[in-house]
């Protein structure tokens, strides 16, 4: 890939902070996803225990009158149950998405504008990758909204440095 500028030109401090945050997040997530793939696979009895614990939590929340939290926990449990058959597939897709985010950061560090575009694709893919495996009706909207807002904040923060990435200054 062609770089738009010399590699010796240092990124602005704000951009460097964003790139480092991106790398820390994506690399840590890659390690934990690999660890999950290699060493953690819930057994049916573990899943049953988890369902019992969730049911207990739901009962407690109902006693406290926190119906919105009850609904959220029930939807998260339904989503978890629906995702179980796709354990390996989801983690492989997550690894690909995380690798894309890491690569996007590297390209931006190298002053390549394509990195910004790949970063946007990475954020969209990370928000929407669950929909490859389960119905959107099973995914609690609060999860999508929070992830989308965090992604939007980071894209906008990166966008502040587009002039440097384009080598316009």
């Amino acid at each position: 890939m062609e770089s738009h500028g010399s590699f010796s030109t240092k990124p602005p401090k704000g951009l460097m902070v964003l790139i480092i945050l991106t790398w820390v997040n994506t690399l840590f997530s890659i390690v934990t996803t690999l660890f999950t793939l290699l060493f953690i696979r819930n057994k049916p009895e573990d899943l049953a225990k988890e369902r019992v614990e969730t049911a207990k939590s739901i009962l407690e929340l109902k006693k406290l009158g926190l119906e919105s939290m009850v609904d959220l926990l029930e939807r998260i449990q339904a989503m978890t149950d629906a995702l179980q058959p796709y354990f390996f597939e989801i983690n492989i897709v997550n690894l690909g998405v995380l690798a894309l985010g890491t690569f996007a950061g590297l390209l931006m560090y190298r002053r390549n504008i394509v990195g910004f575009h790949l970063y946007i694709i990475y954020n969209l893919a990370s928000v929407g990758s669950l929909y490859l495996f389960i119905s959107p009706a099973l995914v609690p909207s609060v999860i999508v909204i929070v992830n989308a807002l965090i992604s939007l904040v980071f894209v906008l923060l990166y966008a502040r440095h587009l002039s440097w990435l384009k080598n316009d200054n």
Side-chain angles (χ1 to χ4, degrees):
M1 293 207 168
E2 187 181 80
S3 181
H4 294 286
S6 70
F7 188 68
S8 63
T9 306
K10 288 188 171 191
K13 285 183 182 179
L15 180 60
M16 249 342 271
V17 169
L18 289 170
I19 291 170
I20 289 169
L21 286 173
T22 296
W23 285 339
V24 167
N25 176 50
T26 56
L27 293 172
F28 178 75
S29 296
I30 286 171
V31 169
T32 57
T33 301
L34 285 171
F35 182 81
T36 299
L37 272 170
L38 296 173
F39 302 110
I40 299 174
R41 173 70 171 161
N42 287 334
K43 299 176 190 114
E45 57 269 10
D46 295 334
L47 295 172
K49 286 179 188 174
E50 181 183 311
R51 280 188 207 98
V52 169
E53 290 302 317
T54 301
K56 288 178 184 175
S57 297
I58 288 171
L59 286 174
E60 290 298 319
L61 290 171
K62 282 183 179 180
K63 287 178 188 174
L64 296 172
L66 299 172
E67 291 302 320
S68 60
M69 289 300 296
V70 168
D71 181 55
L72 179 62
L73 269 181
E74 288 173 342
R75 293 188 70 185
I76 288 173
Q77 185 61 54
M79 181 181 76
T80 303
D81 291 342
L83 288 172
Q84 278 306 310
Y86 306 105
F87 176 81
F88 290 105
E89 294 89 343
I90 289 168
N91 283 296
I92 296 299
V93 167
N94 283 342
L95 283 174
V97 170
L98 291 165
L100 178 64
T102 305
F103 183 62
L106 177 65
L107 288 179
M108 286 189 280
Y109 177 75
R110 291 185 173 176
R111 204 171 193 169
N112 189 326
I113 190 70
V114 173
F116 177 72
H117 300 293
L118 289 178
Y119 187 78
I120 292 171
I121 293 168
Y122 152 72
N123 278 286
L124 291 172
S126 66
V127 169
S129 62
L130 282 178
Y131 298 131
L132 293 173
F133 303 100
I134 61 173
S135 166
L138 291 174
V139 181
S141 56
V142 69
I143 292 174
V144 176
I145 291 168
V146 169
N147 286 337
L149 286 174
I150 292 169
S151 294
L152 178 64
V153 166
F154 272 84
V155 168
L156 292 174
L157 288 170
Y158 272 113
R160 292 188 59 189
H161 301 285
L162 280 175
S163 62
W164 182 84
L165 289 170
K166 291 178 183 176
N167 200 14
D168 286 345
N169 47 344

